[in-house]
Amino acid sequence: ILNISVFLSRMPNSLSPQDIVDALLRCDGAVFNSDRLETLKVLLPTPNEERIFTNLSEDLNSLSVSDRFVYSLIKAPNVRTIVDAMQMQLEFQSVARGHLTRCQSAVQFCRNIKSSVAWHNLIRRVLEIGNLMNRQSHRSSHVKAFDLSSLTSLVTTKSHTRPGFTLLHYIVEDIEKDDLGEANFANFEKQVPNLDEVSKLELEAFATEVAKLCRRFRSAGRLVKDLTITNDEIKRFFEDNANVCADLEKTANEVQKECSELVQFYSLKLTVTGFVKILVTFQDQVSKVRKDLQEAKRQEERELREAA
């Protein structure tokens, strides 16, 4: 009741509890903004409250303002449907646009990482150097593949002859000494430009979130279509945005398909979201190694000048 009192105190002073409920039934956007709808959604009567107020024998005039408001909500038809529909009208387009952009980025990432020549060259060199190290240590095994999640552990293999030098330093130095063009890992960021954006998503959960939004949109649209008290504007909203919902759902399905193909393409033993996190960490490690190598080269040039 206290929360309801606070809610009512923040509504226009000229409106009585019944006026507020009537505005809701008209889907009056001038009275109900996004924040008010979200608050009202939490305050809607529970089944127990509905039973209590339905069996109420007291004179309505003797009830408090908050109780009269609750009573009016209970007597009003389809209140929950209307609140959900109005929220959808206010929020769906911006949320859908954001989701659609993120879906498109995820699809493009999956395709880019499968076609990046810089990425393919790097993992090929890691495999070659790993096999070279196996031969030098008299290990007979020759491997044809390796677990991509092990990439971030390359920095843990230290050099015995060059302080601060790791296996990743050696690999990056080896790649960059040759003119590889697009196959140079320095071009990875250009070939996979949306890695940072995709890394902010939990891709598997994201697809579920989009599906949930589309189900909620369709459910609210079906219910609103049958309401005789709902204004025509909100009905048109659901009709006009049906294609937006369909496009979003289609693109979300593409995300799931591309993620599944990516797992198969690289025989991943982890989720695509986990793979993306490995990539981000590895890219950061490579960036640091490249800076180390550049600084080492500058230091070597300074020493040569001083010696001359």
Side-chain angles (χ1 to χ4, degrees):
I1 295 299
L2 178 61
N3 289 334
I4 293 174
S5 297
V6 172
F7 171 77
L8 292 174
S9 70
R10 293 174 180 171
M11 298 297 285
N13 292 331
S14 60
L15 298 180
S16 69
Q18 186 59 55
D19 290 335
I20 295 171
V21 174
D22 290 342
L24 182 65
L25 297 178
R26 294 194 307 271
C27 301
D28 192 338
V31 174
F32 287 96
N33 58 24
S34 182
D35 289 340
R36 285 173 177 171
L37 286 169
E38 186 61 34
T39 302
L40 179 59
K41 192 172 186 177
V42 176
L43 297 177
L44 289 177
T46 64
N48 185 51
E49 288 172 330
E50 290 182 5
R51 283 193 297 272
I52 292 172
F53 278 87
T54 299
N55 299 323
L56 198 64
S57 58
E58 295 180 49
D59 179 8
L60 294 183
N61 293 325
S62 67
L63 298 177
S64 67
V65 173
S66 295
D67 283 342
R68 288 204 302 276
F69 178 66
V70 173
Y71 183 82
S72 297
L73 283 175
I74 292 171
K75 291 299 181 182
N78 307 301
V79 166
R80 291 183 186 277
T81 298
I82 292 172
V83 170
D84 198 41
M86 289 184 71
Q87 279 190 307
M88 191 66 70
Q89 184 184 28
L90 289 172
E91 301 167 6
F92 177 75
Q93 288 183 328
S94 62
V95 172
R97 278 196 299 269
H99 280 344
L100 187 59
T101 298
R102 289 185 282 273
C103 281
Q104 290 167 342
S105 292
V107 168
Q108 198 58 52
F109 162 77
C110 290
R111 293 173 181 172
N112 287 342
I113 198 65
K114 288 189 293 186
S115 63
S116 169
V117 292
W119 169 247
H120 291 166
N121 180 60
L122 182 133
I123 56 179
R124 178 181 61 81
R125 292 298 292 137
V126 171
L127 184 61
E128 291 173 349
I129 290 170
N131 280 320
L132 175 63
M133 293 172 66
N134 283 344
R135 288 195 299 273
Q136 290 176 344
S137 61
H138 306 293
R139 295 175 184 165
S140 59
S141 60
H142 177 86
V143 298
K144 295 182 179 180
F146 67 95
D147 187 349
L148 290 176
S149 64
S150 65
L151 283 171
T152 54
S153 65
L154 295 175
V155 293
T156 63
T157 304
K158 309 290 185 180
S159 170
H160 296 297
T161 58
R162 299 173 69 175
F165 208 75
T166 68
L167 180 54
L168 184 58
H169 284 79
Y170 176 79
I171 292 169
V172 173
E173 187 178 53
D174 180 70
I175 290 174
E176 296 197 344
K177 72 181 180 182
D178 298 323
D179 184 12
L180 299 172
E182 288 298 304
N184 194 310
F185 195 72
N187 294 308
F188 174 75
E189 190 170 344
K190 182 176 70 175
Q191 295 171 11
V192 189
N194 45 11
L195 174 60
D196 183 61
E197 183 179 355
V198 173
S199 70
K200 297 170 185 174
L201 303 175
E202 292 285 340
L203 286 171
E204 292 75 17
F206 175 64
T208 302
E209 182 182 343
V210 170
K212 183 178 178 181
L213 174 68
C214 290
R215 285 196 302 271
R216 183 180 159 214
F217 175 88
R218 289 200 177 95
S219 175
R222 284 193 297 268
L223 292 170
V224 162
K225 189 176 180 180
D226 297 329
L227 295 183
T228 56
I229 55 174
T230 306
N231 63 26
D232 291 336
E233 182 182 345
I234 198 167
K235 289 184 177 180
R236 284 196 302 271
F237 162 78
F238 283 97
E239 293 170 358
D240 294 344
N241 285 277
N243 288 337
V244 175
C245 183
D247 289 343
L248 177 59
E249 201 164 40
K250 179 182 176 181
T251 311
N253 289 336
E254 282 187 49
V255 173
Q256 290 182 311
K257 174 177 174 288
E258 291 289 343
C259 285
S260 178
E261 290 180 0
L262 184 60
V263 168
Q264 294 177 19
F265 188 84
Y266 286 118
S267 300
L268 296 177
K269 296 179 180 179
L270 66 170
T271 63
V272 174
T273 298
F275 175 54
V276 168
K277 290 177 180 178
I278 291 289
L279 277 177
V280 170
T281 301
F282 184 66
Q283 187 181 31
D284 290 342
Q285 290 174 340
V286 171
S287 296
K288 182 179 183 305
V289 163
R290 294 184 73 230
K291 290 178 183 178
D292 290 346
L293 293 172
Q294 290 166 2
E295 179 56 34
K297 185 177 180 180
R298 285 192 292 268
Q299 179 63 27
E300 184 180 354
E301 290 171 351
R302 282 195 297 267
E303 290 174 357
L304 288 173
R305 285 196 300 270
E306 291 172 1

